[in-house]
């Protein structure tokens, strides 16, 4: 037997839905996180140095764009500043750095000990002195030692690489100037790629700013505003360059003061509006920044008003670049300068001095030590990633900084600084997200180069992801228990599922893929898949489990249990397509049993090597394939498949059924016939199963079919109710006593179609009318036929399952039969009311007695009713005809009563009209007694017409008798006549009875005499008809 293998492909979606089971976590002692991070950092530093040296040379480039391209998969975790691009942020960061360091000492930045040149501010160096030289090149600084970073490697010439590189930057352009080591400030300028022209402009600006303001703190200077004041167009190459530079400064002010302020700001603040006006003017062309410029004064006023705001409790301070995320983006740009431009995996030996200078920007940027540590960890992590994960020392440094981050997070405690919280969660969340993206499929990320660097890189990412995640979890209060073990458990399960899915798609990198040959035998396919799954488990135990065992006590057991579950999904999906036991099925079950034993042995061996209770719990997660119960499972699967086909038929009926009969011989809906055909075939196939097996599932089969029958019956019967076709009752009024002349005129104005039968104008009364049954009403009767069809076949199915009869057979499909019988009555009632009150409303409810009893008798309406019944009976199935005609009779009698009791202003009756009305009622009864061949027995007609006859008898009574009867009925029901017009009207129930006060009142309202008129006016103050 050969099967298409599409079902194997669809198993991929099933595998993705398997929930990973996390073992019960074991509590970690408090304070062990810091020790664990320290050990992780030391471990990273001990990775093979020789490998790092060779790999780093291939990953380093002098061009920053290559690193940016490599970082495309590593987006910044902090929010972006749309107004400023990366280059603009870079330039702004250096400007803030330069300004913050300007008040620190006066070490010369150029020359050999001479003072600053004319027109320049001295170098922003705070006692760092000259750096470089052989000693500085090989001696590691305090920061590098703390982070476990090695000193700079020597170049081939024996000179420290950084000293050689920086000393040669003076170049041949100034042959008379002796070469010298560069200061830390000059190193920073070179690292930030700042041009000499931009640096010179910045120096001149600060020199002009600090004249006479020696004691002014850097954080009180709004640097972009000072630059706009001091720099003129003459200091730029052309006007366009000056305009672009000027607009960048304005955008920077907008970002720091309005878009990302450190203090809450009302966007309708007057200073904001003034600033917007200046910004719009700057966008068009460069503005005049002279002292007499009105635009510059407006800008200065707005900037001062926005930057010198305070939060109330805090002292007044200047805030223009300390709002998140602007401050963090600028600060990270500065921290990025500690990495060598020529060898991007190396941290400069001058990192101590550079960080001391960078620290001076904290007041301006609003950075605290906790924020610095979070950014510092992110910068090391980013550099490790963008350099191709070639230098483990960078990851070790990130882990070392995370120790301080963990301490900061614990110290912050309940303070919940919003800025720190955002920076903390963004930085560590970005590290965790990027790392886990690879760890959740580590077979794809590291499986192509097993061993060596691949497993080391995986171990590094595990340390980083778990460290960052643990810190976040501890801060949020969810880090209790064995956090690392739970996460590694999750990584193993997700990666194994992904690897198994790839095997299912492509095999283990071999040409004979599992699903390449779609015409192959499913049994051989599953046999090959079982072998590949066992190979994958061996690969996991040999290559990845030794790394994972550092955090999880039983990684092999978790992997084996996961693969066991994945193969089980595919196996059960295959078994779901098999309906009988075959040799192929036996071979598949044998292979599955062998794989199960191999995986179970791996699980048991791994769990036996550890004393942790988690390993024992993993063993219990392996659910056996239970091949012994496959036969019963196949039987139930067959049943589910058959029920699924019936359910699909029901769903299609809901979407496409139009209630058009299949043919005149079979006036049923196609969906009902299809559903019952499927049910009949299912029962016939079920009857061929040996009795020893089928008795255990027969009740499930009956319950499943009955549930579908109930849903279909409910769908067929969902056609509304009769109340949607009943017309509303008109308000009660009293008859108007017309003059004799007006009565003669109204009689002369009778329409010819309503003239008495003997009138010369009543010729149309002898014309046979056409049936008025609409298509909507016909579709309702198709529903009625379908319900009878379903009921008949459900009874036949019950008889088939009960052969030979048993004591419990009478209970089968009982709910479906009861629901079908109830739905037949409901649908017949709705269809009859639609036929009478909608399709035939002109002849019966709206036309009968409309202008007087004598001129609008019931005979034309009866002719139309007979035509409709004659048209209806061939449409109806034989079993549906009695119920349908009976409901038409009830609807007709209800319409007749509404004409007498709720006929509106056009109908009035005299006492003498009772005989004619009684004759019309007898004609109506006779029409149903003679319809068909005894479809409605005479006793049923008489019983249903009893209420109508009682109401007609009321019309024969005198007005005084009716008034007395009304008074008696009203007193019995709790009300009385009362006087002065205060008597309430009796409630309307639509249940017309001769003893009902509302029914008697309506007879009086339609009585055309003076006594009734005066009684209604005096008692209820009813309005007169118009």
């Amino acid at each position: 037997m050969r099967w298409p293998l599409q079902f194997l492909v669809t198993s991929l979606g099933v595998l993705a839905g398997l929930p990973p089971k996390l073992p019960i976590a074991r509590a970690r002692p408090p304070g062990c996180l810091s020790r664990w991070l320290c050990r992780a950092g030391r471990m990273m530093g001990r990775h093979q140095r020789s490998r790092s040296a060779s790999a780093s040379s291939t990953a380093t480039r002098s061009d920053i764009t290559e690193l940016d391209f490599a970082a495309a998969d590593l987006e910044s975790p902090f929010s972006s500043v749309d107004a400023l691009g990366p280059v603009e942020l870079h330039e702004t960061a250096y400007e803030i750095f330069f300004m913050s360091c300007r008040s620190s000492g006066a070490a010369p930045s150029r020359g050999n000990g001479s003072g600053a040149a004319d027109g320049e501010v001295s170098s922003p160096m705070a006692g760092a002195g000259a750096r470089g030289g052989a000693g500085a090149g090989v001696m590691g600084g305090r920061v590098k030692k703390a982070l476990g970073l090695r000193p700079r490697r020597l170049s081939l010439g024996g000179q420290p690489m950084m000293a050689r590189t920086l000393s040669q930057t003076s170049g041949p352009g100034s042959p008379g100037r002796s070469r010298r080591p560069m200061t830390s400030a000059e190193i920073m300028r070179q690292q930030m790629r700042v041009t000499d022209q931009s640096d010179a402009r910045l120096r001149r600006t600060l020199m002009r700013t600090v004249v006479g303001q020696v004691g002014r703190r850097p954080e009180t200077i709004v640097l972009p505003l000072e630059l706009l004041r001091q720099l003129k167009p003459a200091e730029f190459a052309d006007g366009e360059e000056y305009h672009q530079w000027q607009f960048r400064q304005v955008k920077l002010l907008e970002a720091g003061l309005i878009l990302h302020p450190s203090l809450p700001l009302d966007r309708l603040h007057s200073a904001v509006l003034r600033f917007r006006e200046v910004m719009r003017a700057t966008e068009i062309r460069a503005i005049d920044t002279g002292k007499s410029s009105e635009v510059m004064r407006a800008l200065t006023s707005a900037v001062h008003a926005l930057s010198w705001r305070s939060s109330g409790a805090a002292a007044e301070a200047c805030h223009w670049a300390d709002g998140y995320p602007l401050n963090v983006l600028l600060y990270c740009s500065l921290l990025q300068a500690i990495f060598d431009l020529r060898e991007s995996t190396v941290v400069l030996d001058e990192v101590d001095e550079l960080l001391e200078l960078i620290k001076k920007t904290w007041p301006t940027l609003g950075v605290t030590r906790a924020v610095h540590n979070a950014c510092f960890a992110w910068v090391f992590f980013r550099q490790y990633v963008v350099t191709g994960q070639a230098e483990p020392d960078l990851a070790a440094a990130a882990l070392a900084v995370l120790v301080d981050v963990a301490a900061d997070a614990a110290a912050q405690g309940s303070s919940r600084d919003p800025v720190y919280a955002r920076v903390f969660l963004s930085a560590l969340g970005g590290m965790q997200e990027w790392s886990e993206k690879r760890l959740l499929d580590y077979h794809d990320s590291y499986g192509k180069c097993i061993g060596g660097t691949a497993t080391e890189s995986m171990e590094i990412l595990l340390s980083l992801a778990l460290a960052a995640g643990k810190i976040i979890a501890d801060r949020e209060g969810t880090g209790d228990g064995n956090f690392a073990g739970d996460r590694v458990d999750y990584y193993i399960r997700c990666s194994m599922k992904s690897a198994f899915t790839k095997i299912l798609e492509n095999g283990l990198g071999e040409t004979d893929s599992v699903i390449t040959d779609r015409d192959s035998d499913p049994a051989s396919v599953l046999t090959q898949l079982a072998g590949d799954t066992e190979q994958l488990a061996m690969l996991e135990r040999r290559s990845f489990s030794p790394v994972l065992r550092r955090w999880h006590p039983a990684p092999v057991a978790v992997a084996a249990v996961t693969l066991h579950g994945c193969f089980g999904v595919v196996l059960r999906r295959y078994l779901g397509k098999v309906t009988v036991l075959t040799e192929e099925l036996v071979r598949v079950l044998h292979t599955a049993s062998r794989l199960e034993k191999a995986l179970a042995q791996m699980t048991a061996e791994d769990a036996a090597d550890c004393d942790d209770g988690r390993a024992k719990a993993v063993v219990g997660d392996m659910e056996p394939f239970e091949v012994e119960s496959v036969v019963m499972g196949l039987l139930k699967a067959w049943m589910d498949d058959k029920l699924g086909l019936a359910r699909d038929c029901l769903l299609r009926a809901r979407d496409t059924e139009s209630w058009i009969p299949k043919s005149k011989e079979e006036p049923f809906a196609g969906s009902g016939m299809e559903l019952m055909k499927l049910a009949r075939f299912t029962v016939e196939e079920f009857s061929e199963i040996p009795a020893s097996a089928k008795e255990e599932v027969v009740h499930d089969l009956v319950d499943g079919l009955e549930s579908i029958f109930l849903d279909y019956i409910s769908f067929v019967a969902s056609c509304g109710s009769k109340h949607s076709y009943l017309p509303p009752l008109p308000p009660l009024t009293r008859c108007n006593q017309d003059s004799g002349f007006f009565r003669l005129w109204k009689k002369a104005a009778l329409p010819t179609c309503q003239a008495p039968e003997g009138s010369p104008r009543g010729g149309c009364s002898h014309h046979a009318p056409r049936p008025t049954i609409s298509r909507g009403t016909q579709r309702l009767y198709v529903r009625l036929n379908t319900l009878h069809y379903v009921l008949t076949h459900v009874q036949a199915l019950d008889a088939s399952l009960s052969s030979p009869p048993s004591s419990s057979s009478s209970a089968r499909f009982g709910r479906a039969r009861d629901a079908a019988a109830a739905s037949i009555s409901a649908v017949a009632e709705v269809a009859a009311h639609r036929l009478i009150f909608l399709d035939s409303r002109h002849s019966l409810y709206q036309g009968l007695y409309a202008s007087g009893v004598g001129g609008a008798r019931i005979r034309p309406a009866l002719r139309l009713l007979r035509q409709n019944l004659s048209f209806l009976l061939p449409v109806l199935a034989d079993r549906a005809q009695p119920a349908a005609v009976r409901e038409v009779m009830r609807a007709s009698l209800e319409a007749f009563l509404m004409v007498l009791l709720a006929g509106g202003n056009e109908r009035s009756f005299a006492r003498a009209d009772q005989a004619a009305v009684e004759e019309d009622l007898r004609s109506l009864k006779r029409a149903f007694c003679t319809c068909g061949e005894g479809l409605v027995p005479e006793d049923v007609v008489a019983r249903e017409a009893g209420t109508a006859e009682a109401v007609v008898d009321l019309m024969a009574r005198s007005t005084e008798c009716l008034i007395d009867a009304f008074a008696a009925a009203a007193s019995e029901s709790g009300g009385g006549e009362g006087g002065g017009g205060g008597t309430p009207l009796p409630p309307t129930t639509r249940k017309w009875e001769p003893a009902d006060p509302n029914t008697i009142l309506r007879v009086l309202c339609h009585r055309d005499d003076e006594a009734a008129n005066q009684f209604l006016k005096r008692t209820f103050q009813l309005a007169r008809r118009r």
Side-chain angles (χ1 to χ4, degrees), residues 917-969:
V917 173
E918 185 177 16
E919 181 183 355
D920 289 344
L921 178 58
R922 285 196 299 270
S923 299
L924 180 61
K925 291 166 56 179
R926 191 163 46 251
F928 287 101
C929 290
T930 59
C931 178
E933 298 179 359
L935 292 178
V936 184
E938 293 186 6
D939 58 332
V940 175
V941 175
R943 183 174 63 253
E944 295 293 338
T947 301
E949 292 175 344
V951 171
V952 173
D953 290 342
L954 286 178
M955 298 176 62
R957 299 184 185 182
S958 64
T959 301
E960 293 76 9
C961 182
L962 288 175
I963 293 174
D964 293 339
F966 171 77

Side-chain angles (χ1 to χ4, degrees), residues 2 35 96 120 232 266 309 481 606 728 944:
R2 307 179 67 84
R35 296 194 299 272
I96 294 176
E120 293 184 351
K232 305 302 178 186
D266 182 6
R309 296 182 299 117
D606 197 41
E944 295 293 338

Side-chain angles (χ1 to χ4, degrees), residues 28 71 85 145 159 197 387 427 529 620 630 635 678 747 769 865 953 972 1018:
R28 181 182 292 274
K145 290 180 180 179
Q159 185 183 13
Q197 182 183 9
T387 55
L529 179 61
V630 168
L635 182 58
L678 286 173
K747 183 176 181 180
L865 178 61
D953 290 342
E972 290 180 3
R1018 180 181 68 255

Side-chain angles (χ1 to χ4, degrees), residues 534 541 560 592-603 622:
E534 187 173 357
R541 183 173 66 175
S593 177
R594 186 171 60 250
L595 173 63
E596 185 175 43
K597 292 178 181 179
L599 295 177
Q601 183 178 0
M602 290 184 186
T603 303
M622 181 176 288

Side-chain angles (χ1 to χ4, degrees), residues 805-832:
S806 62
S807 59
S808 60
S809 61
S810 59
R812 290 171 181 165
F813 302 114
R815 291 184 300 151
R817 286 181 290 187
D818 294 341
S823 298
I824 287 173
S825 299
V827 173
E829 183 181 53
V830 173

